[in-house]
CSV table of all heavy atoms in Angstrom, one decimal:
chain,number,residue,atom,x,y,z
U,207,ILE,N,-14.1,18.0,72.0
U,207,ILE,CA,-14.4,19.4,71.8
U,207,ILE,C,-13.7,20.2,72.9
U,207,ILE,O,-13.1,21.3,72.6
U,207,ILE,CB,-15.9,19.6,71.9
U,207,ILE,CG1,-16.6,19.1,70.6
U,207,ILE,CG2,-16.3,21.1,72.1
U,207,ILE,CD1,-18.0,19.2,70.5
U,208,ALA,N,-13.7,19.7,74.1
U,208,ALA,CA,-13.0,20.5,75.2
U,208,ALA,C,-11.5,20.6,74.9
U,208,ALA,O,-10.9,21.7,75.0
U,208,ALA,CB,-13.2,19.8,76.5
U,209,GLY,N,-10.9,19.5,74.4
U,209,GLY,CA,-9.5,19.5,74.0
U,209,GLY,C,-9.2,20.5,72.9
U,209,GLY,O,-8.3,21.3,72.9
U,210,MET,N,-10.2,20.5,71.9
U,210,MET,CA,-10.0,21.4,70.8
U,210,MET,C,-10.2,22.8,71.2
U,210,MET,O,-9.4,23.7,70.8
U,210,MET,CB,-11.1,21.0,69.7
U,210,MET,CG,-10.6,21.2,68.3
U,210,MET,SD,-11.9,20.7,67.2
U,210,MET,CE,-13.1,22.0,67.4
U,211,ALA,N,-11.2,23.0,72.0
U,211,ALA,CA,-11.5,24.4,72.5
U,211,ALA,C,-10.2,24.9,73.2
U,211,ALA,O,-9.9,26.1,73.1
U,211,ALA,CB,-12.7,24.4,73.4
U,212,HIS,N,-9.6,24.1,74.0
U,212,HIS,CA,-8.4,24.5,74.7
U,212,HIS,C,-7.3,25.0,73.8
U,212,HIS,O,-6.7,26.0,74.0
U,212,HIS,CB,-7.9,23.3,75.6
U,212,HIS,CG,-6.8,23.7,76.6
U,212,HIS,ND1,-7.2,24.2,77.8
U,212,HIS,CD2,-5.5,23.7,76.5
U,212,HIS,CE1,-6.0,24.5,78.4
U,212,HIS,NE2,-5.0,24.2,77.7
U,213,CYS,N,-7.1,24.2,72.7
U,213,CYS,CA,-6.1,24.5,71.7
U,213,CYS,C,-6.4,25.9,71.0
U,213,CYS,O,-5.6,26.8,70.9
U,213,CYS,CB,-5.9,23.5,70.6
U,213,CYS,SG,-5.3,22.0,71.2
U,214,VAL,N,-7.7,26.0,70.7
U,214,VAL,CA,-8.2,27.2,70.0
U,214,VAL,C,-8.0,28.4,70.9
U,214,VAL,O,-7.6,29.5,70.5
U,214,VAL,CB,-9.6,27.1,69.5
U,214,VAL,CG1,-10.1,28.4,68.9
U,214,VAL,CG2,-9.8,25.9,68.5
U,215,LYS,N,-8.3,28.2,72.2
U,215,LYS,CA,-8.2,29.3,73.2
U,215,LYS,C,-6.7,29.8,73.2
U,215,LYS,O,-6.5,31.0,73.3
U,215,LYS,CB,-8.6,28.8,74.6
U,215,LYS,CG,-8.6,29.9,75.6
U,215,LYS,CD,-8.4,29.4,77.0
U,215,LYS,CE,-7.0,29.0,77.2
U,215,LYS,NZ,-6.7,28.7,78.6
U,216,ASN,N,-5.8,28.8,73.2
U,216,ASN,CA,-4.4,29.3,73.2
U,216,ASN,C,-4.0,30.1,71.9
U,216,ASN,O,-3.3,31.1,72.0
U,216,ASN,CB,-3.4,28.0,73.2
U,216,ASN,CG,-3.5,27.4,74.6
U,216,ASN,OD1,-3.9,28.0,75.6
U,216,ASN,ND2,-3.1,26.1,74.7
U,217,ILE,N,-4.6,29.7,70.8
U,217,ILE,CA,-4.4,30.5,69.6
U,217,ILE,C,-5.1,31.9,69.7
U,217,ILE,O,-4.5,32.9,69.3
U,217,ILE,CB,-5.0,29.7,68.4
U,217,ILE,CG1,-4.2,28.4,68.2
U,217,ILE,CG2,-4.9,30.6,67.1
U,217,ILE,CD1,-4.8,27.5,67.2
U,218,LEU,N,-6.2,31.9,70.4
U,218,LEU,CA,-6.9,33.2,70.6
U,218,LEU,C,-6.1,34.1,71.5
U,218,LEU,O,-6.1,35.3,71.3
U,218,LEU,CB,-8.3,32.9,71.3
U,218,LEU,CG,-9.4,32.5,70.4
U,218,LEU,CD1,-10.6,32.0,71.2
U,218,LEU,CD2,-9.8,33.7,69.5
U,219,ASN,N,-5.4,33.5,72.5
U,219,ASN,CA,-4.5,34.4,73.3
U,219,ASN,C,-3.6,35.2,72.4
U,219,ASN,O,-3.4,36.4,72.5
U,219,ASN,CB,-3.6,33.5,74.2
U,219,ASN,CG,-4.4,32.9,75.3
U,219,ASN,OD1,-5.5,33.4,75.7
U,219,ASN,ND2,-3.9,31.8,75.9
U,220,GLY,N,-3.0,34.4,71.4
U,220,GLY,CA,-2.0,35.1,70.5
U,220,GLY,C,-2.7,36.1,69.6
U,220,GLY,O,-2.2,37.2,69.4
U,221,LEU,N,-3.9,35.7,69.1
U,221,LEU,CA,-4.7,36.7,68.2
U,221,LEU,C,-5.0,37.9,69.0
U,221,LEU,O,-4.9,39.0,68.5
U,221,LEU,CB,-6.0,36.0,67.8
U,221,LEU,CG,-5.9,35.0,66.6
U,221,LEU,CD1,-7.2,34.3,66.4
U,221,LEU,CD2,-5.4,35.7,65.4
U,222,ARG,N,-5.4,37.8,70.2
U,222,ARG,CA,-5.8,38.9,71.0
U,222,ARG,C,-4.5,39.8,71.3
U,222,ARG,O,-4.6,41.1,71.2
U,222,ARG,CB,-6.4,38.5,72.3
U,222,ARG,CG,-7.2,39.6,72.9
U,222,ARG,CD,-8.0,39.2,74.1
U,222,ARG,NE,-9.2,38.4,73.7
U,222,ARG,CZ,-10.1,38.1,74.6
U,222,ARG,NH1,-10.0,38.4,75.9
U,222,ARG,NH2,-11.2,37.4,74.2
U,223,ALA,N,-3.4,39.2,71.5
U,223,ALA,CA,-2.2,39.9,71.7
U,223,ALA,C,-1.8,40.7,70.5
U,223,ALA,O,-1.6,42.0,70.5
U,223,ALA,CB,-1.0,39.0,72.1
U,224,GLY,N,-1.9,40.0,69.3
U,224,GLY,CA,-1.5,40.7,68.1
U,224,GLY,C,-2.5,41.8,67.8
U,224,GLY,O,-2.1,43.0,67.4
U,225,SER,N,-3.8,41.6,68.0
U,225,SER,CA,-4.8,42.6,67.6
U,225,SER,C,-4.6,43.9,68.6
U,225,SER,O,-4.9,45.0,68.2
U,225,SER,CB,-6.2,42.1,67.7
U,225,SER,OG,-6.6,41.8,69.0
U,226,TYR,N,-4.2,43.6,69.8
U,226,TYR,CA,-4.1,44.7,70.7
U,226,TYR,C,-2.9,45.6,70.3
U,226,TYR,O,-3.0,46.9,70.3
U,226,TYR,CB,-3.8,44.2,72.1
U,226,TYR,CG,-3.7,45.3,73.2
U,226,TYR,CD1,-4.9,45.9,73.6
U,226,TYR,CD2,-2.5,45.7,73.7
U,226,TYR,CE1,-4.8,46.9,74.6
U,226,TYR,CE2,-2.4,46.7,74.7
U,226,TYR,CZ,-3.6,47.3,75.1
U,226,TYR,OH,-3.6,48.3,76.0
U,227,ILE,N,-1.9,45.0,69.8
U,227,ILE,CA,-0.7,45.7,69.3
U,227,ILE,C,-1.1,46.5,68.0
U,227,ILE,O,-0.7,47.7,67.9
U,227,ILE,CB,0.5,44.8,69.1
U,227,ILE,CG1,0.9,44.2,70.5
U,227,ILE,CG2,1.6,45.5,68.4
U,227,ILE,CD1,1.9,43.1,70.4
U,228,ILE,N,-1.9,45.9,67.2
U,228,ILE,CA,-2.3,46.6,66.0
U,228,ILE,C,-3.2,47.8,66.4
U,228,ILE,O,-3.1,48.9,65.8
U,228,ILE,CB,-3.1,45.6,65.0
U,228,ILE,CG1,-2.2,44.6,64.5
U,228,ILE,CG2,-3.8,46.4,63.9
U,228,ILE,CD1,-2.9,43.5,63.6
U,229,ASP,N,-4.1,47.5,67.3
U,229,ASP,CA,-5.0,48.6,67.8
U,229,ASP,C,-4.3,49.8,68.2
U,229,ASP,O,-4.7,50.9,68.0
U,229,ASP,CB,-5.8,48.1,69.0
U,229,ASP,CG,-7.1,47.5,68.6
U,229,ASP,OD1,-7.6,47.8,67.5
U,229,ASP,OD2,-7.7,46.7,69.4
U,230,GLN,N,-3.1,49.6,68.9
U,230,GLN,CA,-2.3,50.7,69.4
U,230,GLN,C,-1.8,51.6,68.3
U,230,GLN,O,-1.6,52.8,68.5
U,230,GLN,CB,-1.2,50.2,70.3
U,230,GLN,CG,-1.6,49.6,71.6
U,230,GLN,CD,-0.5,49.1,72.4
U,230,GLN,OE1,0.5,48.5,71.8
U,230,GLN,NE2,-0.5,49.2,73.7
U,231,GLN,N,-1.7,51.0,67.1
U,231,GLN,CA,-1.1,51.8,66.0
U,231,GLN,C,-2.2,52.2,65.0
U,231,GLN,O,-1.9,53.0,64.1
U,231,GLN,CB,-0.1,50.9,65.2
U,231,GLN,CG,1.1,50.5,66.1
U,231,GLN,CD,1.9,51.7,66.6
U,231,GLN,OE1,2.1,52.7,65.9
U,231,GLN,NE2,2.2,51.7,67.9
U,232,MET,N,-3.4,51.6,65.1
U,232,MET,CA,-4.4,51.8,64.1
U,232,MET,C,-5.0,53.3,64.2
U,232,MET,O,-5.4,53.7,65.3
U,232,MET,CB,-5.5,50.8,64.3
U,232,MET,CG,-6.6,50.9,63.3
U,232,MET,SD,-6.1,50.5,61.6
U,232,MET,CE,-5.8,48.7,61.8
U,233,THR,N,-5.0,54.0,63.1
U,233,THR,CA,-5.6,55.3,63.1
U,233,THR,C,-7.1,55.2,63.2
U,233,THR,O,-7.7,54.2,62.8
U,233,THR,CB,-5.3,56.1,61.9
U,233,THR,OG1,-5.6,55.3,60.8
U,233,THR,CG2,-3.8,56.4,61.8
U,234,ASP,N,-7.8,56.2,63.7
U,234,ASP,CA,-9.2,56.1,64.0
U,234,ASP,C,-10.1,56.6,62.9
U,234,ASP,O,-11.3,56.8,63.0
U,234,ASP,CB,-9.5,56.8,65.3
U,234,ASP,CG,-10.1,55.9,66.3
U,234,ASP,OD1,-10.2,54.7,66.0
U,234,ASP,OD2,-10.5,56.3,67.4
U,235,GLU,N,-9.5,56.8,61.7
U,235,GLU,CA,-10.3,57.3,60.6
U,235,GLU,C,-11.3,56.3,60.2
U,235,GLU,O,-11.0,55.2,59.7
U,235,GLU,CB,-9.4,57.6,59.4
U,235,GLU,CG,-8.5,58.8,59.6
U,235,GLU,CD,-7.4,58.9,58.5
U,235,GLU,OE1,-7.7,58.6,57.3
U,235,GLU,OE2,-6.2,59.2,58.8
U,236,ALA,N,-12.6,56.7,60.4
U,236,ALA,CA,-13.7,55.7,60.2
U,236,ALA,C,-13.8,55.2,58.8
U,236,ALA,O,-14.2,54.1,58.5
U,236,ALA,CB,-15.0,56.4,60.6
U,237,ASP,N,-13.4,56.0,57.8
U,237,ASP,CA,-13.6,55.6,56.4
U,237,ASP,C,-12.3,54.9,55.8
U,237,ASP,O,-12.4,54.5,54.7
U,237,ASP,CB,-14.1,56.7,55.5
U,237,ASP,CG,-13.2,57.9,55.6
U,237,ASP,OD1,-12.3,57.9,56.5
U,237,ASP,OD2,-13.4,58.8,54.8
U,238,SER,N,-11.3,54.8,56.6
U,238,SER,CA,-10.1,54.2,56.0
U,238,SER,C,-10.4,52.7,55.9
U,238,SER,O,-11.1,52.1,56.8
U,238,SER,CB,-8.9,54.4,56.9
U,238,SER,OG,-8.5,53.2,57.6
U,239,LYS,N,-10.1,52.1,54.7
U,239,LYS,CA,-10.4,50.7,54.5
U,239,LYS,C,-9.8,49.8,55.5
U,239,LYS,O,-10.4,48.8,55.9
U,239,LYS,CB,-9.9,50.3,53.1
U,239,LYS,CG,-10.9,50.6,52.0
U,239,LYS,CD,-10.6,49.8,50.7
U,239,LYS,CE,-11.8,49.9,49.8
U,239,LYS,NZ,-11.5,49.2,48.5
U,240,MET,N,-8.6,50.2,55.9
U,240,MET,CA,-7.9,49.3,56.9
U,240,MET,C,-8.7,49.3,58.2
U,240,MET,O,-8.9,48.2,58.8
U,240,MET,CB,-6.5,49.8,57.1
U,240,MET,CG,-5.6,48.7,57.6
U,240,MET,SD,-4.0,49.3,58.1
U,240,MET,CE,-3.2,49.6,56.5
U,241,ALA,N,-9.2,50.5,58.6
U,241,ALA,CA,-9.9,50.5,59.9
U,241,ALA,C,-11.2,49.8,59.8
U,241,ALA,O,-11.6,49.1,60.7
U,241,ALA,CB,-10.2,52.0,60.3
U,242,ARG,N,-11.9,49.9,58.6
U,242,ARG,CA,-13.1,49.2,58.5
U,242,ARG,C,-12.9,47.6,58.5
U,242,ARG,O,-13.6,46.9,59.1
U,242,ARG,CB,-13.8,49.6,57.2
U,242,ARG,CG,-14.4,51.0,57.2
U,242,ARG,CD,-15.6,51.2,56.3
U,242,ARG,NE,-15.4,50.7,54.9
U,242,ARG,CZ,-14.9,51.5,53.9
U,242,ARG,NH1,-14.6,52.8,54.2
U,242,ARG,NH2,-14.8,51.0,52.7
U,243,GLY,N,-11.9,47.2,57.7
U,243,GLY,CA,-11.6,45.8,57.7
U,243,GLY,C,-11.2,45.3,59.1
U,243,GLY,O,-11.6,44.2,59.5
U,244,TRP,N,-10.4,46.1,59.8
U,244,TRP,CA,-10.0,45.7,61.1
U,244,TRP,C,-11.1,45.5,62.1
U,244,TRP,O,-11.1,44.6,62.9
U,244,TRP,CB,-8.9,46.7,61.6
U,244,TRP,CG,-8.4,46.3,62.9
U,244,TRP,CD1,-8.4,47.1,64.1
U,244,TRP,CD2,-7.7,45.1,63.3
U,244,TRP,NE1,-7.8,46.4,65.1
U,244,TRP,CE2,-7.4,45.2,64.6
U,244,TRP,CE3,-7.4,43.9,62.6
U,244,TRP,CZ2,-6.8,44.2,65.3
U,244,TRP,CZ3,-6.8,42.9,63.2
U,244,TRP,CH2,-6.5,43.0,64.6
U,245,LYS,N,-12.1,46.4,62.0
U,245,LYS,CA,-13.3,46.3,62.8
U,245,LYS,C,-14.0,44.9,62.6
U,245,LYS,O,-14.4,44.3,63.6
U,245,LYS,CB,-14.3,47.4,62.4
U,245,LYS,CG,-14.6,48.4,63.5
U,245,LYS,CD,-15.7,49.3,63.0
U,245,LYS,CE,-15.8,50.6,63.8
U,245,LYS,NZ,-16.7,51.5,63.3
U,246,ILE,N,-14.1,44.5,61.4
U,246,ILE,CA,-14.7,43.2,61.1
U,246,ILE,C,-13.9,42.1,61.7
U,246,ILE,O,-14.5,41.2,62.3
U,246,ILE,CB,-14.9,43.1,59.6
U,246,ILE,CG1,-15.8,44.1,59.0
U,246,ILE,CG2,-15.4,41.7,59.2
U,246,ILE,CD1,-15.9,44.2,57.5
U,247,VAL,N,-12.6,42.2,61.5
U,247,VAL,CA,-11.8,41.1,62.0
U,247,VAL,C,-11.9,41.0,63.6
U,247,VAL,O,-12.1,39.9,64.1
U,247,VAL,CB,-10.3,41.3,61.7
U,247,VAL,CG1,-9.4,40.4,62.4
U,247,VAL,CG2,-10.0,41.3,60.2
U,248,ARG,N,-11.9,42.2,64.2
U,248,ARG,CA,-12.0,42.2,65.7
U,248,ARG,C,-13.3,41.7,66.2
U,248,ARG,O,-13.4,40.9,67.1
U,248,ARG,CB,-11.8,43.6,66.2
U,248,ARG,CG,-10.4,43.9,66.5
U,248,ARG,CD,-10.2,45.2,67.1
U,248,ARG,NE,-11.4,45.7,67.8
U,248,ARG,CZ,-11.4,46.7,68.6
U,248,ARG,NH1,-10.2,47.2,69.0
U,248,ARG,NH2,-12.5,47.1,69.2
U,249,LYS,N,-14.4,42.1,65.5
U,249,LYS,CA,-15.7,41.6,65.9
U,249,LYS,C,-15.8,40.1,65.8
U,249,LYS,O,-16.3,39.4,66.8
U,249,LYS,CB,-16.8,42.3,65.0
U,249,LYS,CG,-18.2,42.0,65.5
U,249,LYS,CD,-19.2,42.7,64.7
U,249,LYS,CE,-19.4,42.1,63.3
U,249,LYS,NZ,-20.3,42.9,62.4
U,250,ASN,N,-15.3,39.6,64.7
U,250,ASN,CA,-15.5,38.1,64.5
U,250,ASN,C,-14.5,37.3,65.5
U,250,ASN,O,-14.9,36.2,65.9
U,250,ASN,CB,-15.2,37.7,63.1
U,250,ASN,CG,-16.5,38.1,62.3
U,250,ASN,OD1,-17.5,37.4,62.3
U,250,ASN,ND2,-16.4,39.2,61.6
U,251,MET,N,-13.4,37.9,65.8
U,251,MET,CA,-12.5,37.3,66.7
U,251,MET,C,-13.2,37.2,68.1
U,251,MET,O,-13.1,36.2,68.8
U,251,MET,CB,-11.2,38.1,66.8
U,251,MET,CG,-10.0,37.3,66.7
U,251,MET,SD,-8.6,38.4,66.5
U,251,MET,CE,-8.7,39.5,67.9
U,252,MET,N,-13.9,38.3,68.4
U,252,MET,CA,-14.6,38.3,69.7
U,252,MET,C,-15.7,37.2,69.7
U,252,MET,O,-15.9,36.5,70.7
U,252,MET,CB,-15.2,39.6,70.0
U,252,MET,CG,-15.7,39.7,71.4
U,252,MET,SD,-16.1,41.4,71.9
U,252,MET,CE,-17.6,41.7,71.1
U,253,LEU,N,-16.4,37.0,68.6
U,253,LEU,CA,-17.5,36.0,68.5
U,253,LEU,C,-16.9,34.6,68.7
U,253,LEU,O,-17.4,33.8,69.5
U,253,LEU,CB,-18.2,36.1,67.2
U,253,LEU,CG,-19.1,37.4,67.0
U,253,LEU,CD1,-19.7,37.4,65.6
U,253,LEU,CD2,-20.2,37.4,68.0
U,254,LEU,N,-15.8,34.4,68.0
U,254,LEU,CA,-15.1,33.1,68.1
U,254,LEU,C,-14.6,32.9,69.5
U,254,LEU,O,-14.8,31.8,70.1
U,254,LEU,CB,-13.9,33.1,67.1
U,254,LEU,CG,-13.0,31.8,67.1
U,254,LEU,CD1,-13.8,30.7,66.7
U,254,LEU,CD2,-11.8,32.0,66.2
U,255,SER,N,-14.1,33.9,70.1
U,255,SER,CA,-13.6,33.8,71.5
U,255,SER,C,-14.7,33.4,72.4
U,255,SER,O,-14.6,32.6,73.3
U,255,SER,CB,-12.9,35.1,71.9
U,255,SER,OG,-12.7,35.2,73.2
U,256,ASN,N,-15.9,34.1,72.2
U,256,ASN,CA,-17.0,33.8,73.1
U,256,ASN,C,-17.5,32.3,73.0
U,256,ASN,O,-17.8,31.7,74.0
U,256,ASN,CB,-18.2,34.7,72.8
U,256,ASN,CG,-17.9,36.1,73.4
U,256,ASN,OD1,-17.1,36.3,74.3
U,256,ASN,ND2,-18.6,37.1,72.8
U,257,ILE,N,-17.5,31.8,71.8
U,257,ILE,CA,-17.9,30.4,71.6
U,257,ILE,C,-17.0,29.5,72.3
U,257,ILE,O,-17.4,28.6,73.1
U,257,ILE,CB,-18.0,30.1,70.1
U,257,ILE,CG1,-19.2,30.8,69.4
U,257,ILE,CG2,-18.2,28.6,69.9
U,257,ILE,CD1,-19.2,30.7,67.9
U,258,VAL,N,-15.7,29.7,72.1
U,258,VAL,CA,-14.7,28.8,72.7
U,258,VAL,C,-14.7,28.9,74.2
U,258,VAL,O,-14.7,27.9,74.9
U,258,VAL,CB,-13.3,29.2,72.1
U,258,VAL,CG1,-12.2,28.5,72.9
U,258,VAL,CG2,-13.2,28.9,70.7
U,259,MET,N,-14.8,30.1,74.7
U,259,MET,CA,-14.9,30.3,76.2
U,259,MET,C,-16.1,29.6,76.8
U,259,MET,O,-16.1,29.0,77.9
U,259,MET,CB,-14.7,31.7,76.6
U,259,MET,CG,-13.4,32.4,76.2
U,259,MET,SD,-12.0,31.5,76.7
U,259,MET,CE,-12.0,31.9,78.5
U,260,ASP,N,-17.2,29.8,76.1
U,260,ASP,CA,-18.5,29.1,76.6
U,260,ASP,C,-18.3,27.6,76.6
U,260,ASP,O,-18.7,26.9,77.5
U,260,ASP,CB,-19.7,29.5,75.7
U,260,ASP,CG,-20.3,30.8,76.1
U,260,ASP,OD1,-19.9,31.3,77.2
U,260,ASP,OD2,-21.1,31.4,75.3
U,261,MET,N,-17.7,27.1,75.5
U,261,MET,CA,-17.5,25.6,75.5
U,261,MET,C,-16.6,25.1,76.6
U,261,MET,O,-16.9,24.2,77.3
U,261,MET,CB,-16.8,25.2,74.2
U,261,MET,CG,-17.8,25.1,73.0
U,261,MET,SD,-16.9,24.6,71.5
U,261,MET,CE,-18.3,24.5,70.4
Side-chain angles (χ1 to χ4, degrees):
Chain U
I207 288 179
M210 213 176 75
H212 191 87
C213 292
V214 177
K215 188 205 73 175
N216 289 340
I217 296 167
L218 279 168
N219 289 338
L221 280 174
R222 202 172 282 191
S225 70
Y226 185 73
I227 294 168
I228 294 176
D229 269 341
Q230 290 178 321
Q231 299 301 315
M232 185 63 71
T233 53
D234 241 0
E235 289 168 39
D237 54 350
S238 110
K239 272 197 170 178
M240 202 186 289
R242 289 208 309 269
W244 181 236
K245 239 185 199 176
I246 296 171
V247 172
R248 265 185 26 162
K249 184 175 76 185
N250 284 283
M251 227 166 59
M252 190 166 78
L253 293 175
L254 178 63
S255 167
N256 284 340
I257 290 171
V258 170
M259 295 308 283
D260 277 345
M261 280 181 175

